[in-house]
Amino acid sequence: NPYIIATLLFSLGLGTTITFASSHWLLAWMGLEINTLAIIPLMARNPHPRAVEATTKYFLTQATAAAVLLFASISNAWVTGQWDISYMTHPLPNTLIILALSLKIGLAPLHTWMPEVLQGLDLTTGLILSTWQKLAPFYLFLQIAPMNYTLLIVLGLFSTLVGGWGGLNQTQLRKILAYSSIAHLGWMILVLQFSPRLTLLALLTYFVMTFSLFMVFKFNNSTTLNSLTTSWAKAPALTAMLPLILLSLGGLPPLTGFLPKWMILLELTKQSLALIATLAALSALLSLFFYLRVSYAMTLTISPNNTTGTLPWRLNSHLPSTPLALAASLTTCLLPIAPATMALLPL
C-alpha cells in the first residue's frame, strides 16, 4: 500500500529529525526508537524467511543498544543531575553511550549483525539501512564529548581492519557492501575526536558512493558476483562506470573517495598518531582488494555465450537513471573541488 509506505518513510524522517533537534537524552532516545520501529515493517515486507530473520536480528540488536543508551543516560542524570546531551562528564555513562551507539551503527567488534541483516534485505531497504539509519547515531557521536579517546581509536582501527578482512572471501554483494560500510565507519570514528568536520565529510562522501553502488546493483538486478558477469549485456555504460565507483570507494586518487582518507591520514599524522595512520592505510588495501574482485567479475569475466532472443540491454528499464548519473558523477569527480568542499563544512 503506497499510503503505508509513505507513512513509514515519513516516520523514518521524523525520528531522525527529532534526534537532530533534541538536546535532551530522552528525546534523542525517542527519535532513535521511532527510527527503528519505522524501518522494521519496510524490512519485513518481503515474506521470505531470510527477510524475517534479518528483521528479527536487527530489532534485537537495536533494542539492546537502545536499552544500554537509556540506562547510560539515566545513570548520567543520576550522577550529574543533567539530561543534556553535551553534558556527559562521568566516564562510565560516557563509555556506555559510545558502545551503545557503536552497536547501533555496526562498529567492530559489535558489527556481527550487520552483514547478516543486510544479506536478508532487498537493495532498496539495504540502502536505507546503510545510509539514512547512520545519521541519528552519528549526530549523537558528534554532540557528546568523548572522554575515553583510546576507546574510539580502538573501535575505529578495529573496524577498518575487520571491514577489510571480512569482505575478502565474500561472493554476496550485500555482504561486501556491509563490510565496506564497517570499514568506512571505522575511518570516520578514528578522526571523530580530532576533527568532527572531517568525520562529516567522510560520512557525506560515503553516502554518495554507497548510493551510487546500490543503484548500479539495483539497475542490474544483481546480488551476487556471478550475476554481475552478464551485466555487460544489460547496461554497457554501467559496466564501464562501476570499476570507477568501486575504486573511489577503495580510496584511489584522483577519485572522490581519496579525499576523506587523505585528509584523515593527514590529521592523524598531525596528532602524532603515525602508527595508527599507517595501520589504517594498510587496512584500506584489504578493502581495495575485494573492490577489485567485483570490478574483475563485472568487466573481465564476460561470458562468451550469446543469448537467444532479445538482448537484455535492448529492453526498457523502468528505473530512473538521473539519480544514478548524478551520484556516479559526484563519486568520481569531486576531488578537484576539495578546498571548496572543506570550506562549506561547518567547524
Side-chain angles (χ1 to χ4, degrees):
N1 192 322
Y3 295 108
I4 294 177
I5 298 293
T7 303
L8 293 174
L9 291 177
F10 174 77
S11 300
L12 267 180
L14 178 66
T16 306
T17 307
I18 288 175
T19 305
F20 281 177
S22 61
S23 58
H24 194 284
W25 270 117
L26 279 182
L27 278 176
W29 173 82
M30 186 176 71
L32 291 173
E33 286 300 288
I34 293 174
N35 224 340
T36 302
L37 293 175
I39 200 174
I40 291 294
L42 291 174
M43 296 170 73
R45 62 178 173 168
N46 183 5
H48 195 276
R50 288 299 299 268
V52 177
E53 179 188 348
T55 306
T56 307
K57 288 178 179 176
Y58 182 76
F59 174 74
L60 291 175
T61 53
Q62 297 299 306
T64 304
V68 174
L69 190 142
L70 186 60
F71 171 73
S73 57
I74 290 174
S75 302
N76 182 68
W78 181 40
V79 172
T80 63
Q82 293 286 336
W83 282 98
D84 198 87
I85 291 177
S86 58
Y87 198 82
M88 293 288 292
T89 55
H90 197 276
L92 180 59
N94 194 288
T95 304
L96 285 175
I97 289 282
I98 290 173
L99 291 176
L101 294 175
S102 301
L103 179 59
K104 268 200 168 293
I105 61 176
L107 280 177
L110 306 169
H111 70 286
T112 48
W113 62 270
M114 181 75 177
E116 298 299 324
V117 168
L118 205 57
Q119 175 61 27
L121 304 178
D122 62 280
L123 289 170
T124 305
T125 315
L127 174 61
I128 296 173
L129 181 66
S130 300
T131 53
W132 185 262
Q133 292 298 94
K134 312 291 186 196
L135 282 174
F138 255 98
Y139 167 79
L140 295 177
F141 261 126
L142 292 169
Q143 284 297 305
I144 62 175
M147 302 179 68
N148 194 347
Y149 293 149
T150 308
L151 176 62
L152 283 181
I153 290 178
V154 168
L155 286 173
L157 191 58
F158 200 53
S159 296
T160 57
L161 291 170
V162 167
W165 202 264
L168 286 181
N169 61 344
Q170 299 294 335
T171 57
Q172 298 289 331
L173 294 178
R174 285 168 292 186
K175 283 194 175 182
I176 289 176
L177 288 165
Y179 283 109
S180 166
S181 172
I182 293 166
H184 279 88
L185 292 174
W187 280 88
M188 299 170 208
I189 294 298
L190 270 178
V191 79
L192 176 68
Q193 56 197 323
F194 307 118
S195 178
R197 66 189 302 207
L198 277 187
T199 299
L200 188 58
L201 173 68
L203 186 65
L204 294 177
T205 52
Y206 161 73
F207 280 1
V208 172
M209 294 185 292
T210 304
F211 178 79
S212 303
L213 202 53
F214 268 98
M215 287 298 290
V216 169
F217 293 154
K218 189 169 176 59
F219 203 90
N220 287 322
N221 198 19
S222 300
T223 54
T224 62
L225 280 179
N226 287 336
S227 62
L228 274 183
T229 56
T230 57
S231 61
W232 61 275
K234 297 178 186 176
L238 278 186
T239 306
M241 195 68 190
L242 181 65
L244 292 177
I245 297 174
L246 289 164
L247 293 178
S248 182
L249 266 170
L252 278 190
L255 302 169
T256 302
F258 177 64
L259 171 61
K261 286 186 169 62
W262 172 38
M263 301 297 288
I264 288 171
L265 291 177
L266 192 62
E267 185 64 32
L268 290 175
T269 309
K270 284 181 184 176
Q271 300 292 336
S272 303
L273 294 171
L275 179 61
I276 303 296
T278 305
L279 290 174
L282 290 175
S283 71
L285 293 177
L286 295 171
S287 300
L288 185 61
F289 177 78
F290 63 77
Y291 294 137
L292 286 172
R293 276 185 69 220
V294 180
S295 304
Y296 181 84
M298 191 169 186
T299 56
L300 299 180
T301 55
I302 292 175
S303 173
N305 302 321
N306 292 323
T307 56
T308 57
T310 308
L311 286 175
W313 65 270
R314 290 179 180 167
L315 300 177
N316 292 327
S317 174
H318 299 293
L319 289 174
S321 57
T322 305
L324 173 57
L326 180 62
S329 303
L330 293 175
T331 301
T332 52
C333 304
L334 275 186
L335 187 63
I337 59 169
T341 308
M342 290 298 296
L344 288 173
L345 289 176
L347 291 173

